[in-house]
Amino acid sequence: MLAFVLALVVIAAVAWSLGRGRASGRMAGPGKRPARRACKWSETGNSNGRFVEYRCAACGVAAYSATGDAPVICKSNLKGSA
């Protein structure tokens, strides 16, 4: 009986811990949106055709947008970024 109660407590603690991690965005699994960062995008004035270059003041990564709006998601985790 004691082992059963202990097993239930452990399972509940693990489920609670996993739920907290997903809620805070630390555990982005498959199919989840990438984590957003507090990037501060500013337009550099450089453009390549219809694409406008933006640079993040926080992480220094450059990104391009064709919509005229600054990017929403940080691009620092993409392969080949600075």
Side-chain angles (χ1 to χ4, degrees), residues 19-33:
R20 283 193 63 211
R22 286 195 179 107
S24 66
R26 288 180 295 175
M27 296 179 63
K32 303 288 182 187
R33 288 185 292 164

Side-chain angles (χ1 to χ4, degrees), residues 32-39 41 56 59 61-63 70-78:
K32 303 288 182 187
R33 288 185 292 164
R36 294 181 183 200
R37 279 203 180 159
C39 284
W41 297 102
C56 175
C59 60
V61 173
V72 177
I73 299 171
C74 180
K75 310 296 183 196
S76 65
N77 60 347
L78 297 177

Side-chain angles (χ1 to χ4, degrees), residues 4-73:
F4 178 73
V5 172
L6 184 59
L8 284 177
V9 169
V10 168
I11 290 171
V14 168
W16 180 74
S17 175
L18 288 175
R20 283 193 63 211
R22 286 195 179 107
S24 66
R26 288 180 295 175
M27 296 179 63
K32 303 288 182 187
R33 288 185 292 164
R36 294 181 183 200
R37 279 203 180 159
C39 284
K40 295 175 180 28
W41 297 102
S42 60
E43 190 175 333
T44 63
N46 298 336
S47 63
N48 183 3
R50 65 181 204 167
F51 292 101
V52 178
E53 182 181 21
Y54 291 88
R55 182 147 318 257
C56 175
C59 60
V61 173
Y64 295 88
S65 173
T67 64
D69 296 329
V72 177
I73 299 171

